[in-house]
mmCIF file of all heavy atoms in Angstrom:
data_model
loop_
_atom_site.group_PDB
_atom_site.id
_atom_site.type_symbol
_atom_site.label_atom_id
_atom_site.label_comp_id
_atom_site.label_asym_id
_atom_site.label_seq_id
_atom_site.Cartn_x
_atom_site.Cartn_y
_atom_site.Cartn_z
ATOM 1 N N GLU A 1 -83.893 177.319 97.858
ATOM 2 C CA GLU A 1 -82.657 177.530 97.268
ATOM 3 C C GLU A 1 -81.872 178.496 98.183
ATOM 4 O O GLU A 1 -82.415 179.604 98.741
ATOM 5 C CB GLU A 1 -82.575 177.909 95.883
ATOM 6 C CG GLU A 1 -83.247 176.897 94.943
ATOM 7 C CD GLU A 1 -82.447 175.681 94.807
ATOM 8 O OE1 GLU A 1 -81.149 175.625 95.006
ATOM 9 O OE2 GLU A 1 -83.062 174.591 94.612
ATOM 10 N N THR A 2 -80.570 178.384 98.412
ATOM 11 C CA THR A 2 -79.826 179.299 99.198
ATOM 12 C C THR A 2 -79.975 180.785 98.489
ATOM 13 O O THR A 2 -80.083 181.691 99.405
ATOM 14 C CB THR A 2 -78.446 178.807 99.286
ATOM 15 O OG1 THR A 2 -78.408 177.585 99.952
ATOM 16 C CG2 THR A 2 -77.541 179.842 100.145
ATOM 17 N N VAL A 3 -79.887 180.901 97.264
ATOM 18 C CA VAL A 3 -79.918 182.161 96.698
ATOM 19 C C VAL A 3 -81.238 182.835 96.982
ATOM 20 O O VAL A 3 -81.241 184.043 97.193
ATOM 21 C CB VAL A 3 -79.699 182.059 95.204
ATOM 22 C CG1 VAL A 3 -80.817 181.398 94.471
ATOM 23 C CG2 VAL A 3 -79.381 183.533 94.564
ATOM 24 N N THR A 4 -82.289 182.054 97.034
ATOM 25 C CA THR A 4 -83.669 182.499 97.476
ATOM 26 C C THR A 4 -83.589 183.129 98.975
ATOM 27 O O THR A 4 -84.297 184.221 99.189
ATOM 28 C CB THR A 4 -84.726 181.547 97.289
ATOM 29 O OG1 THR A 4 -84.693 181.135 95.951
ATOM 30 C CG2 THR A 4 -86.053 182.041 97.668
ATOM 31 N N LEU A 5 -82.882 182.442 99.775
ATOM 32 C CA LEU A 5 -82.779 182.856 101.180
ATOM 33 C C LEU A 5 -82.066 184.222 101.277
ATOM 34 O O LEU A 5 -82.442 185.123 101.939
ATOM 35 C CB LEU A 5 -82.096 181.838 101.991
ATOM 36 C CG LEU A 5 -82.816 180.508 102.208
ATOM 37 C CD1 LEU A 5 -82.013 179.517 103.008
ATOM 38 C CD2 LEU A 5 -84.233 180.637 102.918
ATOM 39 N N TYR A 6 -80.934 184.287 100.426
ATOM 40 C CA TYR A 6 -80.165 185.688 100.406
ATOM 41 C C TYR A 6 -81.139 186.766 99.773
ATOM 42 O O TYR A 6 -81.128 187.795 100.442
ATOM 43 C CB TYR A 6 -78.913 185.516 99.580
ATOM 44 C CG TYR A 6 -77.827 184.759 100.502
ATOM 45 C CD1 TYR A 6 -77.322 183.555 100.137
ATOM 46 C CD2 TYR A 6 -77.182 185.567 101.504
ATOM 47 C CE1 TYR A 6 -76.273 182.951 100.889
ATOM 48 C CE2 TYR A 6 -76.155 184.997 102.309
ATOM 49 C CZ TYR A 6 -75.791 183.763 101.980
ATOM 50 O OH TYR A 6 -74.744 183.195 102.663
ATOM 51 N N GLU A 7 -81.846 186.323 98.808
ATOM 52 C CA GLU A 7 -82.690 187.416 98.210
ATOM 53 C C GLU A 7 -83.813 187.866 99.044
ATOM 54 O O GLU A 7 -84.326 189.076 98.932
ATOM 55 C CB GLU A 7 -83.208 186.831 96.915
ATOM 56 C CG GLU A 7 -82.347 186.662 95.793
ATOM 57 C CD GLU A 7 -82.925 185.937 94.489
ATOM 58 O OE1 GLU A 7 -84.081 185.288 94.705
ATOM 59 O OE2 GLU A 7 -82.270 185.939 93.458
ATOM 60 N N SER A 8 -84.153 187.092 100.025
ATOM 61 C CA SER A 8 -85.299 187.418 100.862
ATOM 62 C C SER A 8 -84.797 187.613 102.429
ATOM 63 O O SER A 8 -85.749 187.744 103.321
ATOM 64 C CB SER A 8 -86.357 186.390 100.913
ATOM 65 O OG SER A 8 -85.864 185.149 101.242
ATOM 66 N N VAL A 9 -83.611 187.852 102.639
ATOM 67 C CA VAL A 9 -83.155 188.043 103.975
ATOM 68 C C VAL A 9 -83.895 189.168 104.782
ATOM 69 O O VAL A 9 -84.045 189.085 105.842
ATOM 70 C CB VAL A 9 -81.532 188.279 103.946
ATOM 71 C CG1 VAL A 9 -81.208 189.697 103.339
ATOM 72 C CG2 VAL A 9 -80.991 188.263 105.437
ATOM 73 N N GLN A 10 -84.199 190.156 104.074
ATOM 74 C CA GLN A 10 -85.009 191.334 104.689
ATOM 75 C C GLN A 10 -86.228 190.899 105.270
ATOM 76 O O GLN A 10 -86.887 191.631 106.034
ATOM 77 C CB GLN A 10 -85.149 192.490 103.786
ATOM 78 C CG GLN A 10 -86.033 192.273 102.572
ATOM 79 C CD GLN A 10 -85.426 191.470 101.388
ATOM 80 O OE1 GLN A 10 -84.378 191.166 101.357
ATOM 81 N NE2 GLN A 10 -86.345 191.227 100.520
ATOM 82 N N GLU A 11 -86.825 189.744 104.774
ATOM 83 C CA GLU A 11 -88.155 189.204 105.214
ATOM 84 C C GLU A 11 -88.042 188.422 106.543
ATOM 85 O O GLU A 11 -88.956 188.150 107.309
ATOM 86 C CB GLU A 11 -88.703 188.238 104.101
ATOM 87 C CG GLU A 11 -89.165 188.951 102.939
ATOM 88 C CD GLU A 11 -89.664 188.009 101.818
ATOM 89 O OE1 GLU A 11 -89.857 186.944 102.161
ATOM 90 O OE2 GLU A 11 -90.184 188.635 100.771
ATOM 91 N N PHE A 12 -86.720 187.948 106.807
ATOM 92 C CA PHE A 12 -86.674 187.093 107.976
ATOM 93 C C PHE A 12 -86.261 187.780 109.328
ATOM 94 O O PHE A 12 -85.818 188.860 109.379
ATOM 95 C CB PHE A 12 -85.393 186.147 107.693
ATOM 96 C CG PHE A 12 -85.768 184.782 106.852
ATOM 97 C CD1 PHE A 12 -85.642 185.151 105.534
ATOM 98 C CD2 PHE A 12 -86.094 183.756 107.390
ATOM 99 C CE1 PHE A 12 -85.953 183.893 104.731
ATOM 100 C CE2 PHE A 12 -86.364 182.703 106.753
ATOM 101 C CZ PHE A 12 -86.391 182.723 105.347
ATOM 102 N N THR A 13 -86.886 186.960 110.339
ATOM 103 C CA THR A 13 -86.622 187.402 111.785
ATOM 104 C C THR A 13 -85.849 186.124 112.238
ATOM 105 O O THR A 13 -86.161 185.011 111.931
ATOM 106 C CB THR A 13 -87.789 187.605 112.537
ATOM 107 O OG1 THR A 13 -88.517 188.633 112.042
ATOM 108 C CG2 THR A 13 -87.597 187.850 114.111
ATOM 109 N N VAL A 14 -84.849 186.322 113.048
ATOM 110 C CA VAL A 14 -84.129 185.204 113.680
ATOM 111 C C VAL A 14 -84.061 185.291 115.194
ATOM 112 O O VAL A 14 -84.204 186.291 115.795
ATOM 113 C CB VAL A 14 -82.679 185.068 113.122
ATOM 114 C CG1 VAL A 14 -82.615 184.714 111.565
ATOM 115 C CG2 VAL A 14 -81.904 186.454 113.310
ATOM 116 N N ALA A 15 -83.789 184.064 115.789
ATOM 117 C CA ALA A 15 -83.562 183.866 117.126
ATOM 118 C C ALA A 15 -82.116 183.560 117.282
ATOM 119 O O ALA A 15 -81.676 182.604 116.451
ATOM 120 C CB ALA A 15 -84.447 182.813 117.798
ATOM 121 N N ILE A 16 -81.444 184.328 118.147
ATOM 122 C CA ILE A 16 -79.962 183.966 118.264
ATOM 123 C C ILE A 16 -79.636 183.593 119.625
ATOM 124 O O ILE A 16 -80.026 184.291 120.557
ATOM 125 C CB ILE A 16 -79.132 185.424 118.005
ATOM 126 C CG1 ILE A 16 -79.426 185.884 116.599
ATOM 127 C CG2 ILE A 16 -77.644 185.157 118.112
ATOM 128 C CD1 ILE A 16 -78.973 184.988 115.403
ATOM 129 N N GLU A 17 -78.859 182.526 119.838
ATOM 130 C CA GLU A 17 -78.312 182.197 121.107
ATOM 131 C C GLU A 17 -76.860 181.835 120.994
ATOM 132 O O GLU A 17 -76.331 181.077 120.097
ATOM 133 C CB GLU A 17 -78.970 180.965 121.603
ATOM 134 C CG GLU A 17 -78.583 180.402 122.929
ATOM 135 C CD GLU A 17 -79.288 179.103 123.375
ATOM 136 O OE1 GLU A 17 -79.172 178.158 122.689
ATOM 137 O OE2 GLU A 17 -79.750 179.082 124.561
ATOM 138 N N ASN A 18 -76.019 182.549 121.814
ATOM 139 C CA ASN A 18 -74.526 182.406 121.750
ATOM 140 C C ASN A 18 -74.042 182.541 120.311
ATOM 141 O O ASN A 18 -73.187 181.756 119.830
ATOM 142 C CB ASN A 18 -74.177 180.985 122.240
ATOM 143 C CG ASN A 18 -74.595 180.787 123.660
ATOM 144 O OD1 ASN A 18 -74.419 181.637 124.486
ATOM 145 N ND2 ASN A 18 -74.949 179.516 124.001
ATOM 146 N N ASN A 19 -74.447 183.658 119.641
ATOM 147 C CA ASN A 19 -74.129 183.929 118.360
ATOM 148 C C ASN A 19 -74.518 182.971 117.271
ATOM 149 O O ASN A 19 -73.796 183.036 116.212
ATOM 150 C CB ASN A 19 -72.587 184.324 118.417
ATOM 151 C CG ASN A 19 -72.280 185.587 119.198
ATOM 152 O OD1 ASN A 19 -72.852 186.686 119.097
ATOM 153 N ND2 ASN A 19 -71.165 185.348 119.929
ATOM 154 N N GLU A 20 -75.325 182.109 117.468
ATOM 155 C CA GLU A 20 -75.791 181.075 116.633
ATOM 156 C C GLU A 20 -77.325 181.302 116.255
ATOM 157 O O GLU A 20 -78.137 181.470 117.208
ATOM 158 C CB GLU A 20 -75.509 179.760 117.184
ATOM 159 C CG GLU A 20 -75.825 178.551 116.347
ATOM 160 C CD GLU A 20 -75.750 177.221 116.964
ATOM 161 O OE1 GLU A 20 -74.810 177.255 117.852
ATOM 162 O OE2 GLU A 20 -76.264 176.334 116.448
ATOM 163 N N VAL A 21 -77.741 181.023 114.995
ATOM 164 C CA VAL A 21 -79.061 181.093 114.661
ATOM 165 C C VAL A 21 -79.753 179.843 115.075
ATOM 166 O O VAL A 21 -79.342 178.723 114.827
ATOM 167 C CB VAL A 21 -79.288 181.311 113.016
ATOM 168 C CG1 VAL A 21 -80.810 181.129 112.834
ATOM 169 C CG2 VAL A 21 -78.747 182.496 112.557
ATOM 170 N N VAL A 22 -80.840 179.993 116.171
ATOM 171 C CA VAL A 22 -81.426 178.902 116.583
ATOM 172 C C VAL A 22 -83.050 178.923 116.275
ATOM 173 O O VAL A 22 -83.702 178.022 116.720
ATOM 174 C CB VAL A 22 -81.245 178.712 118.246
ATOM 175 C CG1 VAL A 22 -79.786 178.512 118.503
ATOM 176 C CG2 VAL A 22 -81.873 180.043 118.888
ATOM 177 N N GLY A 23 -83.483 179.834 115.472
ATOM 178 C CA GLY A 23 -84.821 179.930 114.990
ATOM 179 C C GLY A 23 -84.889 180.981 114.013
ATOM 180 O O GLY A 23 -84.128 181.961 113.833
ATOM 181 N N CYS A 24 -85.905 180.850 113.079
ATOM 182 C CA CYS A 24 -86.202 181.717 112.141
ATOM 183 C C CYS A 24 -87.679 181.865 111.769
ATOM 184 O O CYS A 24 -88.402 180.964 112.074
ATOM 185 C CB CYS A 24 -85.269 181.444 110.834
ATOM 186 S SG CYS A 24 -85.710 179.801 110.046
ATOM 187 N N GLY A 25 -88.109 182.816 110.857
ATOM 188 C CA GLY A 25 -89.304 182.943 110.367
ATOM 189 C C GLY A 25 -89.366 184.168 109.477
ATOM 190 O O GLY A 25 -88.536 185.032 109.615
ATOM 191 N N ALA A 26 -90.273 184.188 108.486
ATOM 192 C CA ALA A 26 -90.286 185.273 107.478
ATOM 193 C C ALA A 26 -91.625 185.806 107.313
ATOM 194 O O ALA A 26 -92.671 185.086 107.535
ATOM 195 C CB ALA A 26 -89.737 184.794 106.205
ATOM 196 N N LEU A 27 -91.682 187.099 106.942
ATOM 197 C CA LEU A 27 -93.013 187.663 106.562
ATOM 198 C C LEU A 27 -92.866 188.187 105.119
ATOM 199 O O LEU A 27 -92.043 188.899 104.781
ATOM 200 C CB LEU A 27 -93.212 188.919 107.459
ATOM 201 C CG LEU A 27 -94.591 189.672 107.196
ATOM 202 C CD1 LEU A 27 -95.738 188.795 107.532
ATOM 203 C CD2 LEU A 27 -94.521 190.994 107.860
ATOM 204 N N HIS A 28 -93.635 187.497 104.225
ATOM 205 C CA HIS A 28 -93.726 187.776 102.848
ATOM 206 C C HIS A 28 -94.916 188.392 102.428
ATOM 207 O O HIS A 28 -96.090 187.914 102.556
ATOM 208 C CB HIS A 28 -93.615 186.512 102.100
ATOM 209 C CG HIS A 28 -93.401 186.691 100.577
ATOM 210 N ND1 HIS A 28 -92.345 187.089 99.898
ATOM 211 C CD2 HIS A 28 -94.268 186.524 99.610
ATOM 212 C CE1 HIS A 28 -92.492 187.198 98.671
ATOM 213 N NE2 HIS A 28 -93.744 186.885 98.479
ATOM 214 N N VAL A 29 -94.905 189.716 102.023
ATOM 215 C CA VAL A 29 -96.016 190.443 101.538
ATOM 216 C C VAL A 29 -96.586 189.908 100.306
ATOM 217 O O VAL A 29 -95.835 189.749 99.255
ATOM 218 C CB VAL A 29 -95.754 191.982 101.536
ATOM 219 C CG1 VAL A 29 -96.999 192.875 100.972
ATOM 220 C CG2 VAL A 29 -95.211 192.589 102.768
ATOM 221 N N LEU A 30 -97.851 189.686 100.294
ATOM 222 C CA LEU A 30 -98.612 189.134 99.156
ATOM 223 C C LEU A 30 -99.403 190.253 98.417
ATOM 224 O O LEU A 30 -99.580 190.259 97.211
ATOM 225 C CB LEU A 30 -99.622 187.992 99.509
ATOM 226 C CG LEU A 30 -98.905 186.854 100.238
ATOM 227 C CD1 LEU A 30 -100.049 185.777 100.556
ATOM 228 C CD2 LEU A 30 -97.943 186.120 99.262
ATOM 229 N N TRP A 31 -100.057 191.123 99.210
ATOM 230 C CA TRP A 31 -100.860 192.176 98.630
ATOM 231 C C TRP A 31 -100.834 193.345 99.660
ATOM 232 O O TRP A 31 -100.357 193.268 100.661
ATOM 233 C CB TRP A 31 -102.289 191.618 98.382
ATOM 234 C CG TRP A 31 -103.048 192.551 97.530
ATOM 235 C CD1 TRP A 31 -104.125 193.208 97.753
ATOM 236 C CD2 TRP A 31 -102.871 192.685 96.063
ATOM 237 N NE1 TRP A 31 -104.729 193.878 96.728
ATOM 238 C CE2 TRP A 31 -103.983 193.596 95.679
ATOM 239 C CE3 TRP A 31 -102.053 192.202 95.061
ATOM 240 C CZ2 TRP A 31 -104.028 193.989 94.284
ATOM 241 C CZ3 TRP A 31 -102.143 192.499 93.866
ATOM 242 C CH2 TRP A 31 -103.121 193.518 93.471
#
């Protein structure tokens, strides 16, 4: 859900090319 993406924005790393998101990945702590 888009709201979930906003809630977890701090977990994401992005790849940017020409000011556009061209890749992403997240790190979510479990323990």
